[in-house]
Amino acid sequence: MISNQTIEQAAYEIMGRAAIDIPDDYLSGIKGMVNTEEGDLSAFVLGAMLENYEAATEDRRPMCADTGLPRYYIKVGNEAKFDGGFIGLERALRSATARATHDVPLRPNRVHPLWRTDHNNNCGLNSPEVEWSFEPDADWIDITTVHKGGLFGSDYRMLFPGDGIDGIKRFFLDTLIAFGKRGLACQPAIVGIGLGGSKDICMVLGKQAACLRTVGDKNPDPKVAELEAELKELGNSIGMGAMGFVGSSMVVDCHIECGFTHTGGMPISIHTFCLSSRRATARLHADGTIEHRTDPQWFTPYMRREGIEWSNDASSKKSA
Amino acid sequence: MVERRKLKKVSLNIPASAEDIAALELGSIVFLSGVVYTAREGVYKRVLEDREQIPANLTAVSNANFHCSPAAAPDGKGGYRIGGVTATASFRFSKWMADWLDLTGTKIVIGKGGMSADDYKTVLAPRGAVYLTTVGYGTGALLGRGVKGVRDVLWLDEMGIAQAMWQFEVENFGPFLVDSDLEGNSLFAEQGELVNQNIEKLYEGLKPPALHRYGETGDRKKEVI
């Protein structure tokens, strides 16, 4: 039985870890880009960011003062037992958010869209967002938090099957160029693309692709993985680097997630997870122990199931 | 490792003198010591539209306006703990800048992403003011390290941590990059022009989508701010 207190403690702990410690996969990606960046200004920016990550970890201070819109992704094992039920779990997440906002400190970013009311604890109407998923044959709960800014770098468009890969490439370029200028997207970014689904799921998949997959990860569908690589290269060939300065550092990695969509459409969403790509995950085991990591392992074979039944063997089903 | 030009590094005391400001070159790296104050839409509205008074001694203490909301919390001893410090995008504050510079005598505007080249030519440069951009964005931990204390905070209860007017005592506070000079030149605009030279080639051979969208620009050489 996982206690409510364990859930709250883990949810609180990952808020601080996400805000302060840059995940290793993203750090390696940026280090690789510094070595190849020829633009002097863009390279200086990347170098300053590397110093900043170190300063954050040394001082236990948030790497970016815009601590974004803190939120949670929860994966519950089908065999997991936890007291307080789902309501207790959601209450623990809110309490952890409020405590972490004061203690880390996080910026109290959450306000009412019209009245700008700020509870100074990052909780409010529909905040923090909690997204749920499930995992067969597991007795643990995974809690992931993501801190992402929210003003620039995302867009959605309804494309049609006839627009093809050209349409995807154009929209990809449009979004990166528009938000890349002056570095509004805080690039180089992990670019997440949602393809298909209903409009709302298209947005959700793209955001999850950006925030919940690590640098170096590939889509299990080899043709989709090929497109990921092609788009990454296209983004880095724009001629733009960090802060929109001349350079080649735009896309640390590109992740695509697909959902079955309307036969007439090919909706697409694009999301950019920034130079402060903040995520942290805790696994709460049945015996009450907590394990920390930075790879959310969100897209399991079960999450990407295509048929009525599924298999945990990732190679057993492929669209391509 | 590829060969790159080394950028020039400058340290400035705040309030900055007219000579110091005139000597700043586009693309130089700047570190500040002295006092910088934060003001963004909340403060601008309160002072310029609702006619509330700014602190009487502001000009003598600081002529550097930071478009920033700190990650801060009360320390329980009557002071504040400043965590990370990062700028917010400045282009949104364009409509208030002329009146604000006139009222406060501010000569250095610091923020994220610069303002339009037109604002530099017509608003900042004629008033002897320049723009410094934060780097990254953002180097919240490095900037947080540069904040040595909170000299004063105004309108905290009324406007909250993010919008309140903070006065930070800073030392070796940076890095920033000089985006505009007293001639109204813009580093972002110059770099943008260079990037633009490659854009047409990127779209060559890619057919436009069947369904068009209403939009303010279809010209990728333009900016969206």
Side-chain angles (χ1 to χ4, degrees):
Chain A
M1 180 72 84
I2 300 168
S3 78
N4 223 255
Q5 201 188 349
T6 304
I7 295 169
E8 208 266 358
Q9 190 52 43
Y12 170 85
E13 171 68 21
I14 55 175
M15 279 271 167
R17 287 178 184 239
I20 293 167
D21 300 310
I22 194 78
D24 281 338
D25 60 284
Y26 187 81
L27 180 64
S28 312
I30 294 299
K31 283 182 174 164
M33 286 187 129
V34 177
N35 291 336
T36 54
E37 177 57 86
E38 291 183 19
D40 45 10
L41 288 160
S42 177
F44 164 72
V45 174
L46 296 181
M49 290 308 295
L50 291 178
E51 270 182 58
N52 186 62
Y53 303 142
E54 271 179 36
T57 293
E58 270 174 38
D59 295 3
R60 304 311 296 161
R61 193 196 287 278
M63 65 182 90
C64 181
D66 183 348
T67 47
L69 298 176
R71 61 187 295 148
Y72 288 107
Y73 294 89
I74 312 293
K75 195 182 286 297
V76 184
N78 201 38
E79 316 303 327
K81 301 273 183 292
F82 49 101
D83 64 24
F86 288 97
I87 304 296
L89 207 163
E90 287 205 322
R91 186 186 296 114
L93 298 179
R94 286 201 164 219
S95 150
T97 304
R99 282 209 300 133
T101 299
H102 176 271
D103 293 354
V104 176
L106 306 176
R107 197 161 84 188
N109 264 350
R110 294 283 192 170
V111 298
H112 189 283
L114 289 170
W115 328 128
R116 316 310 289 180
T117 315
D118 192 335
H119 296 163
N120 277 328
N121 61 7
N122 280 312
C123 295
L125 283 170
N126 287 302
S127 314
E129 296 89 346
V130 179
E131 284 185 54
W132 295 93
S133 71
F134 307 97
E135 188 62 13
D137 307 318
D139 60 1
W140 41 254
I141 302 173
D142 272 359
I143 304 182
T144 295
T145 186
V146 165
H147 301 182
K148 183 182 180 300
L151 303 187
F152 309 107
S154 306
D155 206 355
Y156 164 86
R157 183 163 188 162
M158 178 57 82
L159 294 173
F160 296 92
D163 296 329
I165 301 295
D166 276 11
I168 293 172
K169 284 184 179 169
R170 285 183 75 100
F171 186 60
F172 179 79
L173 286 171
D174 284 354
T175 308
L176 290 189
I177 292 169
F179 292 114
K181 288 192 173 176
R182 295 169 186 262
L184 292 179
C186 299
Q187 74 267 15
I190 304 176
V191 180
I193 297 180
L195 261 185
S198 306
K199 279 192 186 72
D200 52 347
I201 293 304
C202 181
M203 287 302 283
V204 167
L205 284 174
K207 176 137 185 177
Q208 292 183 352
C211 299
L212 302 177
R213 284 176 56 192
T214 56
V215 173
D217 183 46
K218 290 182 175 63
N219 191 291
D221 182 330
K223 282 191 180 164
V224 173
E226 232 173 84
L227 184 58
E228 291 177 336
E230 199 183 340
L231 290 177
K232 175 182 170 182
E233 199 184 311
L234 180 64
N236 288 332
S237 73
I238 290 172
M240 205 191 272
M243 290 176 75
F245 295 139
V246 171
S248 58
S249 308
M250 197 72 196
V251 183
V252 185
D253 210 349
C254 176
H255 298 318
I256 301 174
E257 286 302 320
C258 300
F260 274 33
T261 191
H262 190 286
T263 180
M266 187 175 65
I268 178 170
S269 78
I270 298 191
H271 308 252
T272 51
F273 202 17
C274 62
L275 265 166
S276 299
S277 279
R278 292 153 292 178
R279 57 172 135 75
T281 300
R283 174 161 293 180
L284 285 55
H285 290 283
D287 63 4
T289 54
I290 302 174
E291 251 182 306
H292 290 279
R293 61 179 201 265
T294 53
D295 178 356
Q297 300 168 13
W298 179 257
F299 287 101
T300 59
Y302 175 74
M303 284 289 283
R304 289 188 176 120
R305 66 198 182 276
E306 257 185 67
I308 293 162
E309 294 304 322
W310 60 88
S311 157
N312 263 348
D313 174 8
S315 61
S316 67
K317 47 149 204 62
K318 295 282 161 52
S319 277
Chain B
M1 190 69 101
V2 290
E3 278 297 305
R4 290 180 291 245
R5 178 173 64 100
K6 207 164 160 49
L7 305 175
K8 194 170 160 183
K9 195 172 146 182
V10 185
S11 291
L12 276 190
N13 288 317
I14 304 292
S17 69
E19 296 74 44
D20 284 346
I21 289 171
L24 293 175
E25 297 167 31
L26 296 195
S28 291
I29 305 161
V30 179
F31 289 85
L32 304 176
S33 296
V35 176
V36 301
Y37 71 89
T38 71
R40 48 186 297 183
E41 65 267 43
V43 169
Y44 295 149
K45 266 192 196 146
R46 211 171 174 93
V47 175
L48 298 173
E49 294 171 20
D50 305 337
R51 299 286 157 199
E52 287 218 31
Q53 294 294 310
I54 55 164
N57 63 347
L58 180 67
T59 316
V61 173
S62 176
N63 58 0
N65 175 185
F66 194 9
H67 291 153
C68 154
S69 306
D75 64 4
K77 291 175 270 180
Y80 301 92
R81 208 155 44 87
I82 304 295
V85 174
T86 311
T88 195
S90 299
F91 74 88
R92 299 172 285 159
F93 311 134
S94 170
K95 66 172 182 176
W96 291 294
M97 288 321 297
D99 289 344
W100 184 257
L101 297 182
D102 287 342
L103 180 74
T104 59
T106 294
K107 301 296 180 201
I108 296 181
V109 179
I110 310 165
K112 173 182 174 181
M115 307 188 67
S116 72
D118 193 46
D119 280 339
Y120 294 153
K121 287 261 188 257
T122 62
V123 179
L124 268 67
R127 290 168 175 81
V130 297
Y131 186 97
L132 306 182
T133 178
T134 51
V135 170
Y137 314 88
T139 55
L142 291 177
L143 294 177
R145 264 186 185 179
V147 175
K148 297 305 170 191
V150 174
R151 189 177 177 277
D152 200 5
V153 56
L154 205 62
W155 301 315
L156 183 60
D157 291 341
E158 296 94 322
M159 298 204 288
I161 287 167
Q163 292 284 346
M165 187 172 187
W166 297 85
Q167 288 182 20
F168 294 139
E169 283 156 355
V170 301
E171 211 179 285
N172 215 16
F173 184 52
F176 304 108
L177 284 170
V178 180
D179 183 41
S180 84
D181 59 20
L182 289 186
E183 287 171 21
N185 296 309
S186 160
L187 178 69
F188 278 123
E190 286 179 5
Q191 291 282 308
E193 281 303 316
L194 292 172
V195 169
N196 280 347
Q197 291 170 10
N198 188 43
I199 285 183
E200 258 164 61
K201 210 172 73 214
L202 288 168
Y203 285 84
E204 254 170 37
L206 298 177
K207 68 176 178 341
L211 181 71
H212 297 211
R213 297 207 291 193
Y214 289 133
E216 290 168 356
T217 180
D219 180 354
R220 277 91 185 174
K221 293 183 179 171
K222 290 194 177 144
E223 297 189 68
V224 291
I225 68 165

